Amino acid sequence: MNLKQVAALAGVSVSTVSRVLNGKSYVNAETREIVMKAIRQTNYQPNALAQSLKMGRSNTICLMIPSIENMMFPKLTRGVEDIARKNGLTVFLCNTDEDAAVEKAYIETMKMRWIDGFIVCSIASDAPHIRSLRTEGYPLVLVNRFEASDIGKVDTVAADNYQIGYDATQYLIRTGHKRIAIAYGRDELLLYRERRRGYLQALADNGLPCPEAYTMRETNGNNGFYYQTKELMGLDNPPDAIFCSSDPKAFVVMHALHDLGLRIPEDVAVIGVDNVSMASMVEPPLTTISQHLYRMGAAAANSLIRQIEYKEKNGVLPKPERTIFSSDLIVRRSTN
Amino acid sequence: MNLKQVAALAGVSVSTVSRVLNGKSYVNAETREIVMKAIRQTNYQPNALAQSLKMGRSNTICLMIPSIENMMFPKLTRGVEDIARKNGLTVFLCNTDEDAAVEKAYIETMKMRWIDGFIVCSIASDAPHIRSLRTEGYPLVLVNRFEASDIGKVDTVAADNYQIGYDATQYLIRTGHKRIAIAYGRDELLLYRERRRGYLQALADNGLPCPEAYTMRETNGNNGFYYQTKELMGLDNPPDAIFCSSDPKAFVVMHALHDLGLRIPEDVAVIGVDNVSMASMVEPPLTTISQHLYRMGAAAANSLIRQIEYKEKNGVLPKPERTIFSSDLIVRRSTN
DNA sequence: ATGAAAGCGCTAACAG
DNA sequence: CTGTTAGCGCTTTCAT
């Protein structure tokens, strides 16, 4: 069913049907009625592809993430999608496993589809193909994963990661801990470097030591922390608390602690970051610094939509916007 | 950059460029070289929208699920997407919250985009708008959530849910349990009814009782099981094992058990279904019957692609195919 | 082997 | 207020 057929049925021209459809122009009330009836009768639905081809806008956006299996992303994805849907946009989900080749291939595919914009969580430490998107004129929002140098050049959405690290550590200190270790995420991600910087600063502000052995570094994904935790606790002077730079890391650390027969929080307290849904379900429930993942996704989508609309109106991208979310301490039983 | 410009640069017609691009037709080797050079020079990328409009095929598929936040779906989604990508398809992610209005709206949007096919996990107990998709000519695969009456009428992919319930219960019985309760999922989903049927049959086969009070029914999502578990364990004759019809339910049940001060598995054993990634991380690690979610997603995608290709070649959909996955018992420490 | 031209279905500028 | 028409960028007959 297409415009032409509807027009024929209504006995008018295609432009008239088009006009009543998108109501931009005045149409005689009677004609409008006739056309409406024909539309209803035929159950006509416009062809979005043809519209896009004509309008140069596809009403689709691309959400590019490492993997939806990473516990961070389902909530964020919902935030993006809900806002997108409410604004008449549909979202292509692109899992890249942080593989630059996959990212590039997806970007090409999306460009071919005249994608309206990109929301990207990529490692981004060395990703010119991502950053150049904006200079090529594509609306782009970087979420959580980007470099300091991106700020002001690209729209960004993120938590205050330094503060997160500081608050988590400060809380541990306030509750009486003095030997605080860290399960540190990958060094190439600014967000982890920032969380660690906050941790280090809190330690320094309280005159607490930070022996090198107290820093567990990510190897083999989060599972590596299982063995490192065991080593860590075998130290002569083991920590009495562990700041985990993400909840999934905390789950692995707690798992190792359990297997060592150590009690949480009596023997060692554990705090995470994110407040993923499982955080309240593990035993003991995990104290954590929440990230508002859903809201961050929604903010990213809104930021993208703002760019899309601005570009449509003015032909150029608006000045980059930076959105920072505050985080909350959620106290549960993994700390005392 | 479009065909015309490339053609102009190469000094040939658009049809020639088109021909070298999709290599269906013979082109003089020299001309081909000239054209290729022009393509490389201009960094030409075809417009997929125009192609789709012309070809009546969009190379996009729709994955419609209740919510990506449900722990079942991230893995399944990866399975779908990986296969799709390898076959040149991109996927629209549609979260519906099982809201029929949202489902319908998404379906309309997708049809307008000339979607190539749908993979759907919907409540489907009363969803004519989903089932009619196939009669309207759209390739369709139902995953895990469908009615017995769908089998043979639509492509389906699912686990052997009866067997899952039977195996889980049988394992509990074999390890010495006699009073086995069930955390039963929503009655309107065949998959849960089947798991329960397996549970009931195993009980019957072993002459074990099944008092009504041993059946916890889902209310308020999984959280309702928290309170029900507390009631359940307050019974005069409380169960010594609980079969949870999904891992997330098991997490809630274990949480309640912990809060009651009960030991797992000494006081009560717990078994789940799914083997989601968190199953091995909780304390104690959860014994469960695995579902091969990733493979199920991949199978669904393959099944859909098969339909798309068959339809392209023959103009009609192929006979529906049914894929059933077997499941494995994964023994961990929540049972003894 | 290559080019011209007819659309795929739609929007919008232009005429009337 | 309504109709005609020219594309959006591509594929594919049909000529040559």
Side-chain angles (χ1 to χ4, degrees):
Chain A
M1 192 51 47
N2 62 23
L3 262 196
K4 207 158 149 191
Q5 299 176 48
V6 177
L9 179 63
V12 299
S13 76
V14 290
S15 25
T16 301
V17 181
S18 175
R19 275 190 274 261
V20 348
L21 244 13
N22 52 56
K24 299 262 177 193
S25 187
Y26 287 94
V27 177
N28 186 319
E30 295 173 37
T31 334
R32 147 168 280 115
E33 254 327 300
I34 298 177
V35 172
M36 291 296 267
K37 198 159 67 178
I39 290 173
R40 275 192 299 271
Q41 268 183 36
T42 56
N43 218 300
Y44 170 76
Q45 290 293 135
N47 179 328
L49 259 26
Q51 287 182 141
S52 300
L53 181 59
K54 183 69 193 173
M55 309 296 284
R57 209 192 127 158
S58 65
N59 294 307
T60 55
I61 63 175
C62 170
L63 173 60
M64 191 170 284
I65 58 179
S67 176
I68 193 69
E69 291 187 67
N70 178 323
M71 287 186 234
M72 271 356 33
F73 296 118
K75 257 214 177 69
L76 188 133
T77 299
R78 279 306 306 255
V80 169
E81 198 205 306
D82 286 355
I83 296 298
R85 181 164 49 77
K86 285 180 190 143
N87 286 273
L89 301 171
T90 43
V91 0
F92 281 120
L93 178 66
C94 302
N95 291 291
T96 65
D97 289 325
E98 303 185 355
D99 180 332
V102 175
E103 291 183 354
K104 283 178 195 161
Y106 258 136
I107 288 173
E108 285 313 313
T109 308
M110 293 299 136
K111 286 180 179 173
M112 289 171 58
R113 295 188 178 289
W114 286 15
I115 198 83
D116 288 342
F118 295 85
I119 294 176
V120 181
C121 311
S122 169
I123 75 158
S125 55
D126 172 40
H129 54 289
I130 305 279
R131 287 205 197 58
S132 66
L133 251 18
R134 180 171 165 115
T135 46
E136 293 173 51
Y138 288 97
L140 169 66
V141 181
L142 263 21
V143 183
N144 241 337
R145 300 181 170 206
F146 49 81
E147 295 299 300
S149 57
D150 291 314
I151 297 167
K153 292 207 213 137
V154 185
D155 277 53
T156 58
V157 172
D160 185 342
N161 290 302
Y162 167 81
Q163 197 64 40
I164 284 175
Y166 193 89
D167 289 350
T169 310
Q170 195 64 257
Y171 176 71
L172 256 15
I173 295 169
R174 198 162 69 237
T175 48
H177 300 280
K178 300 217 180 311
R179 302 188 308 282
I180 305 174
I182 181 175
Y184 179 37
R186 284 179 301 156
D187 204 64
E188 72 252 44
L189 293 181
L190 177 65
L191 73 100
Y192 286 125
R193 294 201 303 275
E194 284 293 290
R195 287 176 195 175
R196 178 159 183 251
R197 193 164 67 82
Y199 154 84
L200 258 15
Q201 189 60 48
L203 253 28
D205 286 357
N206 289 274
L208 257 22
C210 178
E212 173 60 25
Y214 278 15
T215 300
M216 295 189 277
R217 287 167 198 279
E218 184 173 339
T219 55
N220 299 323
N222 288 334
N223 288 336
F225 289 116
Y226 183 84
Y227 305 98
Q228 292 190 58
T229 302
K230 289 196 165 181
E231 279 178 36
L232 179 71
M233 299 312 294
L235 253 34
D236 286 343
N237 193 26
D240 56 10
I242 304 177
F243 164 46
C244 300
S245 58
S246 78
D247 285 354
K249 292 176 184 46
F251 297 148
V252 175
V253 167
M254 286 171 72
H255 190 39
L257 259 16
H258 276 127
D259 287 357
L260 286 169
L262 261 17
R263 292 163 309 159
I264 306 170
E266 294 82 355
D267 297 323
V268 37
V270 177
I271 190 168
V273 178
D274 289 330
N275 195 29
V276 297
S277 61
M278 276 305 295
S280 62
M281 300 302 308
V282 295
E283 185 57 32
L286 180 67
T287 293
T288 191
I289 309 279
S290 72
Q291 279 204 85
H292 300 119
L293 267 353
Y294 182 92
R295 284 166 52 201
M296 289 168 77
N302 279 319
S303 180
L304 192 69
I305 290 166
R306 162 181 159 272
Q307 292 181 64
I308 293 171
E309 289 176 350
Y310 188 97
K311 183 185 171 190
E312 180 131 358
K313 189 179 288 180
N314 306 288
V316 303
L317 260 15
K319 254 184 55 187
E321 211 176 59
R322 179 187 187 185
T323 310
I324 300 177
F325 279 87
S326 63
S327 297
D328 306 313
L329 172 68
I330 313 280
V331 178
R332 297 204 182 93
R333 295 195 278 100
S334 70
T335 55
N336 41 14
Chain B
M1 193 51 48
N2 61 24
L3 262 197
K4 206 158 147 191
Q5 299 175 49
V6 177
L9 178 64
V12 299
S13 75
V14 290
S15 20
T16 301
V17 181
S18 175
R19 273 190 274 260
V20 349
L21 244 12
N22 50 57
K24 300 263 179 195
S25 186
Y26 286 94
V27 176
N28 186 319
E30 294 173 37
T31 333
R32 146 168 280 117
E33 253 328 299
I34 299 177
V35 172
M36 291 297 267
K37 198 158 66 178
I39 291 173
R40 275 191 299 270
Q41 268 182 38
T42 55
N43 217 300
Y44 170 76
Q45 290 292 134
N47 179 327
L49 259 27
Q51 287 181 143
S52 300
L53 182 58
K54 185 67 192 176
M55 309 297 284
R57 207 192 130 159
S58 65
N59 294 307
T60 56
I61 63 175
C62 170
L63 174 60
M64 189 169 286
I65 58 180
S67 176
I68 193 69
E69 291 188 67
N70 177 322
M71 287 186 236
M72 266 6 23
F73 296 118
K75 259 215 176 71
L76 188 134
T77 299
R78 278 306 307 256
V80 170
E81 197 205 308
D82 287 355
I83 296 298
R85 181 164 49 78
K86 285 180 191 145
N87 286 273
L89 300 171
T90 44
V91 359
F92 282 120
L93 179 64
C94 303
N95 292 291
T96 65
D97 289 324
E98 303 185 356
D99 180 333
V102 175
E103 291 183 354
K104 282 178 195 160
Y106 259 136
I107 288 174
E108 285 314 313
T109 308
M110 293 299 135
K111 287 180 179 173
M112 288 170 58
R113 296 188 177 290
W114 287 14
I115 197 83
D116 288 342
F118 294 85
I119 294 176
V120 181
C121 310
S122 169
I123 75 158
S125 55
D126 172 38
H129 54 288
I130 305 280
R131 287 207 197 56
S132 66
L133 251 19
R134 177 165 169 120
T135 45
E136 293 172 52
Y138 288 97
L140 169 67
V141 180
L142 263 23
V143 183
N144 240 337
R145 299 180 171 208
F146 50 81
E147 295 300 300
S149 58
D150 290 315
I151 297 168
K153 293 205 210 135
V154 184
D155 278 52
T156 57
V157 172
D160 185 342
N161 289 302
Y162 168 80
Q163 197 64 41
I164 285 175
Y166 193 89
D167 289 350
T169 310
Q170 196 64 257
Y171 176 71
L172 256 14
I173 295 169
R174 197 163 68 237
T175 49
H177 300 279
K178 301 216 178 312
R179 302 189 308 281
I180 305 174
I182 180 175
Y184 179 37
R186 285 180 300 157
D187 204 64
E188 72 252 43
L189 293 181
L190 176 65
L191 74 100
Y192 286 125
R193 293 201 304 276
E194 283 295 289
R195 287 176 194 175
R196 178 159 181 252
R197 193 164 67 82
Y199 155 83
L200 258 15
Q201 188 61 47
L203 252 29
D205 285 357
N206 290 273
L208 255 23
C210 179
E212 173 60 24
Y214 277 15
T215 300
M216 295 190 278
R217 287 167 198 279
E218 185 173 338
T219 55
N220 300 323
N222 288 334
N223 288 336
F225 288 116
Y226 183 84
Y227 304 98
Q228 291 190 58
T229 302
K230 289 194 165 181
E231 279 178 37
L232 179 70
M233 299 312 295
L235 254 32
D236 285 344
N237 193 27
D240 56 11
I242 304 178
F243 164 46
C244 300
S245 57
S246 78
D247 285 353
K249 293 177 184 47
F251 297 149
V252 175
V253 166
M254 286 171 71
H255 191 38
L257 258 17
H258 276 126
D259 287 357
L260 286 170
L262 262 16
R263 291 163 309 160
I264 305 170
E266 294 81 356
D267 297 323
V268 36
V270 176
I271 189 168
V273 178
D274 288 330
N275 196 30
V276 298
S277 61
M278 277 304 295
S280 62
M281 300 300 309
V282 294
E283 186 57 34
L286 180 66
T287 293
T288 191
I289 308 280
S290 72
Q291 279 204 83
H292 300 120
L293 266 354
Y294 183 91
R295 284 166 50 199
M296 289 168 78
N302 279 320
S303 180
L304 192 69
I305 290 166
R306 162 182 158 271
Q307 292 182 64
I308 293 170
E309 289 176 349
Y310 188 98
K311 183 184 170 190
E312 181 131 356
K313 188 177 288 181
N314 306 288
V316 302
L317 260 14
K319 254 183 55 185
E321 209 176 60
R322 180 187 188 185
T323 310
I324 300 178
F325 278 87
S326 62
S327 298
D328 306 312
L329 171 68
I330 313 281
V331 178
R332 297 203 182 92
R333 294 195 278 99
S334 70
T335 55
N336 42 13

